[in-house]
């Protein structure tokens, strides 16, 4: 459907913005996309969780470490519940969380 195609295109645009260092724009678009997923009651959809991962990474790259850690913890918990602990997306999120905590001088409990 067009809705699925649009979500895929938006996710790829957000990823591309992040990859080229346009973190602010990536974060803004990711936040908007997450709001849309929430309105559709699809905030735990794998695509929404990938967008949340990029959003958190963008926050981290902008030096907003505390916000990034909060979102990374939430996203990782949702990924583990919906995708499983060994899913590649969950493993990437766990690594991202570890990196953010390291930047804050913290270790994961």
């Amino acid at each position: 459907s067009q809705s699925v195609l649009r979500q895929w295109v938006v996710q790829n645009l957000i990823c591309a913005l992040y990859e080229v260092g346009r973190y602010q724009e990536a974060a803004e678009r990711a936040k908007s996309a997450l709001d849309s997923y929430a309105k559709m009651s699809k905030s735990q959809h794998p695509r929404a969780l990938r967008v949340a991962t990029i959003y958190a990474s963008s926050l981290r790259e902008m030096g907003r470490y505390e916000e990034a850690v909060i979102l990374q913890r939430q996203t990782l918990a949702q990924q583990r519940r919906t995708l499983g602990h060994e899913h590649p997306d969950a493993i990437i999120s766990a690594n991202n969380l570890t990196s953010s905590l390291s930047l804050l001088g913290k270790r994961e409990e």
Side-chain angles (χ1 to χ4, degrees):
S1 81
Q2 283 198 319
S3 175
V4 172
L5 178 60
R6 183 182 185 290
Q7 292 166 5
W8 181 82
V9 168
V10 168
Q11 176 190 326
N12 284 307
L13 173 60
I14 293 165
C15 184
L17 290 167
Y18 176 83
E19 291 297 323
V20 298
R22 293 171 60 180
Y23 307 121
Q24 182 66 40
E25 191 174 353
E28 290 167 1
R29 289 183 182 265
K31 174 73 171 103
S32 177
L34 290 175
D35 290 344
S36 293
Y37 279 112
K39 288 177 187 172
M40 295 184 295
S41 299
K42 293 186 176 187
S43 60
Q44 295 196 17
H45 187 280
R47 193 172 295 110
L49 296 173
R50 283 187 206 106
V51 169
T53 298
I54 298 167
Y55 182 31
S57 293
S58 296
L59 293 173
R60 183 186 65 220
E61 293 299 327
M62 292 187 297
R64 294 165 59 181
Y65 305 127
E66 295 287 347
E67 292 172 83
V69 166
I70 291 167
L71 183 55
Q72 287 168 328
R73 282 187 171 134
Q74 292 169 349
T75 303
L76 178 58
Q78 289 175 350
Q79 287 172 323
R80 285 179 170 169
R81 276 193 302 275
T82 59
L83 305 172
H85 287 257
E86 300 302 318
H87 190 279
D89 289 353
I91 293 169
I92 289 167
S93 290
N95 184 58
N96 290 346
L97 175 59
T98 299
S99 295
S100 295
L101 288 168
S102 177
L103 289 168
L104 286 170
K106 297 180 181 181
R107 293 180 137 174
E108 182 63 5
E109 296 83 43

